[in-house]
Amino acid sequence: MGVVVEQTIPFSNSQLNLDDPERWTRLFPLIRPSVITVRGAKSHAILVDKSLLNSKNVKIAAVVSSGNFSSKLLSEKGVIAFTAEKPRTREVTTQDIMEALKANGMDFTTGLVVVRASDERKMEVLGDEVVEVDVEGELELDHILSLLSVANAETKISIDNVTELLKIFLKAATKTTSAFDIVKAGGNPSVVHAGRSASFESAKLSIDKDLVHALRSHTVKEGSVIFAVHFSDINGLSRLETYLLAHGISAYLNEQSIASHITSSTILDHVQGPRGWAISLCPVPQRFLEVQAKPPNTLTQQESRNESPIKPWNMKPNIQLTDTEVRTRIVQGCERVIKHEPTITEYDTIVGDGDCGYTLRDGANQVLRFIANGDLAELPQSLGALVDDLEVNMGGTSGALYCIFLSALAQNLWEAPTFPDALVAAQDHLLKYTHARLGDRTCLDCLIPFVDTLKTTGNAWKALSKATKGVEGTKILEARLGRSTYLDESATRGVPDPGAYGLLKLLEGMVNV
């Protein structure tokens, strides 16, 4: 999970003009051609999706706060109308939205729900067909939009069922928010959980703490309810960090045997500023919602039927190594990464988010804890189990890349004739999951020269020399991927890519044994 030391935001709030309620009025019709702009009684713009006018489902409209915009409105295709207003102004009324829909031929017999981001929870039933709901902020608004989207068909077509579901949400939903703090706690990066700052030790522990807090007022009765869980990344976690967040939530709920349906969104909150995440959950009776099917893990699936099946763990791999030689190299590599964390962090503070050093340090510490009692002579098995552990406890883009590489390495160690051959196969597998290539100013500027040279020469010292040159070369390369691309080239010149530098320290420790 990334930690912000100093945020890298390419444009300011004023430049993006996020406080302008009309901003999305101009942009959204370009994104979705079926959307038109309708002017209300006070000339306020209301966006109407004409493709949903004849839907048999209960119609959903949303009123959001300008400046705190959510991706849910861009991705949710079940919202027939939405508008933005300045916080706490109530510039747009439910009647305004009804008039806009009526002017475009909407039939209200199926019912209409207007959900508004507000400071409090309340509901007002306006006749037999219209319900107005206020919720606390964009997180709860996103959760309701998601919940109504994934509810079963019987619920979606009935205004009575939707109203009952909304009443349950307003009464039972709980939430928690965490934000990365630039102030360290005990020498470690810190995260503000539920209003309290605490040391950030791992993504899993942070997510578990949030879920314990959010669930403490609920009694889980197996088979009676399904927990509708919605999480939002706030102010731009990376996609890989968001995947780790989803995995952490899912893993905790599975450990607790809690039936769930998980949804997500991204929220821009330029009032609060820091990056982070928020979780909202609500126990929902089974008659409204189905348990979410578990997605397949594509990283563990065979890429084609012609590939060799995953080897059972009771077979011996082609490459045989002793516990001592493997352990010595891993320990030396991890200790060198931990030693150089301040330098990696310094570099990433200049050209990135400042989290790379912490991520690699925490990953190295986790590896050392993991191998303490393991038999590293069984390297493929150990690497496979290590990846399962790091997927939860090592966040950031670096964590995901390392996990993909190590997972592929574990598989290729079974049949590869030599260790360099296994590394080459793992590298080829990694390249299928990233657009980065040699010269893009990433960790691959260290990995690729090392692996390729080791394969062609069989000499680890020559491979390390090539990797060192690759990292030095990143000082003059223009960033093509990641957050460094937001910076002027003069800001990155002379500073090596932090991910490449961190990997180099790992390799130095492993080779110099």
Side-chain angles (χ1 to χ4, degrees):
M1 193 64 66
V3 179
V4 174
V5 172
E6 183 176 346
Q7 289 206 94
T8 304
I9 299 178
F11 302 104
S12 67
N13 189 12
S14 59
Q15 289 174 314
L16 291 173
N17 202 21
L18 291 174
D19 292 328
D20 179 7
E22 303 262 332
R23 183 173 186 266
W24 290 103
T25 304
R26 297 187 292 270
L27 295 178
F28 201 77
L30 300 176
I31 300 172
R32 193 174 301 170
S34 60
V35 171
I36 62 171
T37 302
V38 179
R39 292 289 169 179
K42 300 177 183 178
S43 297
H44 203 94
I46 301 170
L47 298 178
V48 176
D49 191 339
K50 297 187 70 174
S51 68
L52 298 175
L53 289 172
N54 296 319
S55 171
K56 295 181 180 179
N57 293 336
V58 175
K59 309 301 189 296
I60 310 298
V63 182
V64 302
S65 299
S66 57
N68 287 1
F69 200 78
S70 166
S71 67
K72 201 64 189 175
L73 292 177
L74 302 181
S75 61
E76 184 53 65
K77 296 183 179 180
V79 177
I80 193 171
F82 87 86
T83 186
E85 64 183 8
K86 294 180 180 179
R88 294 180 292 278
T89 62
R90 304 189 78 86
E91 295 172 323
V92 182
T93 66
T94 296
Q95 187 62 38
D96 292 334
I97 295 174
M98 291 175 63
E99 292 295 333
L101 293 172
K102 188 180 299 182
N104 284 277
M106 175 179 159
D107 182 1
F108 285 89
T109 56
T110 57
L112 172 67
V113 173
V114 178
V115 186
R116 185 188 303 269
S118 180
D119 294 329
E120 59 179 341
R121 295 180 186 174
K122 65 179 181 179
M123 173 188 288
E124 185 176 359
V125 179
L126 307 175
D128 297 332
E129 300 163 344
V130 180
V131 177
E132 185 178 59
V133 180
D134 281 24
V135 293
E136 297 175 349
E138 272 63 33
L139 173 66
E140 291 191 358
L141 184 141
D142 283 3
H143 194 175
I144 280 188
L145 295 182
S146 298
L147 179 56
L148 295 178
S149 175
V150 300
N152 58 36
E154 291 77 10
T155 300
K156 291 181 180 180
I157 63 174
S158 168
I159 186 64
D160 292 333
N161 288 342
V162 169
T163 301
E164 185 178 356
L165 179 58
L166 291 173
K167 287 179 179 178
I168 292 171
F169 182 92
L170 295 181
K171 180 180 179 180
T174 54
K175 62 184 176 181
T176 180
T177 301
S178 295
F180 296 117
D181 198 345
I182 61 174
V183 179
K184 291 187 176 182
N188 293 320
S190 60
V191 176
V192 179
H193 295 277
R196 296 183 179 181
S197 182
S199 175
F200 179 82
E201 299 178 10
S202 73
K204 176 175 171 53
L205 291 177
S206 295
I207 294 168
D208 287 358
K209 184 184 296 184
D210 278 352
L211 290 171
V212 168
H213 177 79
L215 285 165
R216 64 184 179 181
S217 60
H218 299 291
T219 301
V220 180
K221 296 180 180 179
E222 188 173 355
S224 62
V225 298
I226 297 169
F227 273 79
V229 181
H230 185 87
F231 70 90
S232 294
D233 76 89
I234 301 174
N235 291 338
L237 296 182
S238 71
R239 183 171 296 182
L240 290 171
E241 288 171 316
T242 303
Y243 289 161
L244 290 170
L245 179 57
H247 176 79
I249 293 171
S250 177
Y252 179 87
L253 297 174
N254 287 336
E255 291 170 2
Q256 303 299 318
S257 299
I258 297 175
S260 65
H261 198 116
I262 303 174
T263 55
S264 66
S265 63
T266 296
I267 294 176
L268 286 176
D269 184 354
H270 284 265
V271 176
Q272 297 296 329
R275 294 164 64 232
W277 69 91
I279 303 171
S280 171
L281 55 85
C282 178
V284 176
Q286 290 183 337
R287 66 181 183 275
F288 296 115
L289 186 65
E290 297 178 358
V291 176
Q292 191 171 31
K294 293 183 179 179
N297 186 349
T298 57
L299 294 181
T300 61
Q301 293 178 339
Q302 299 177 37
E303 294 183 11
S304 73
R305 294 183 179 180
N306 296 324
E307 287 190 88
S308 300
I310 295 174
K311 300 297 181 182
W313 295 128
N314 59 357
M315 294 182 62
K316 288 187 177 181
N318 280 345
I319 301 171
Q320 297 290 314
L321 300 168
T322 67
D323 177 274
T324 300
E325 60 182 324
V326 173
R327 186 178 302 276
T328 301
R329 292 186 185 279
I330 291 177
V331 170
Q332 292 291 338
C334 288
E335 288 181 346
R336 189 160 179 81
V337 169
I338 294 169
K339 177 181 177 180
H340 287 271
E341 175 270 315
T343 303
I344 303 170
T345 298
E346 179 183 357
Y347 289 153
D348 199 40
T349 301
I350 298 171
V351 302
D353 284 343
D355 64 329
C356 184
Y358 299 135
T359 298
L360 295 180
R361 180 202 63 186
D362 293 347
N365 279 319
Q366 188 63 28
V367 170
L368 294 176
R369 286 192 291 269
F370 182 86
I371 68 173
N373 300 312
D375 182 5
L376 299 184
E378 300 178 345
L379 188 55
Q381 300 96 314
S382 298
L383 281 179
L386 175 61
V387 169
D388 290 339
D389 187 73
L390 290 180
E391 282 181 337
V392 177
N393 293 298
M394 184 180 178
T397 303
S398 298
L401 294 176
Y402 274 82
C403 285
I404 293 172
F405 182 83
L406 292 176
S407 178
L409 179 60
Q411 286 301 313
N412 284 284
L413 284 173
W414 288 107
E415 294 184 341
T418 66
F419 197 83
D421 287 310
L423 289 173
V424 170
Q427 176 178 277
D428 290 343
H429 184 78
L430 173 63
L431 292 176
K432 296 177 182 178
Y433 290 89
T434 175
H435 294 297
R437 292 296 184 268
L438 190 67
D440 284 340
R441 190 182 162 86
T442 70
C443 64
L444 294 182
D445 290 307
C446 176
L447 179 66
I448 292 176
F450 181 86
V451 172
D452 290 354
T453 305
L454 187 63
K455 176 65 172 67
T456 56
T457 68
N459 188 311
W461 291 98
K462 290 182 179 179
L464 185 61
S465 176
K466 288 289 187 180
T468 302
K469 291 179 180 178
V471 174
E472 283 295 309
T474 63
K475 292 181 178 180
I476 59 173
L477 289 175
E478 180 181 355
R480 300 175 185 173
L481 297 167
R483 292 187 175 88
S484 294
T485 57
Y486 298 146
L487 301 176
D488 186 86
E489 185 180 352
S490 61
T492 62
R493 184 168 295 275
V495 180
D497 176 74
Y501 183 83
L503 177 57
L504 179 62
K505 297 299 115 177
L506 175 67
L507 295 174
E508 286 177 350
M510 298 181 78
V511 171
N512 290 327
V513 173

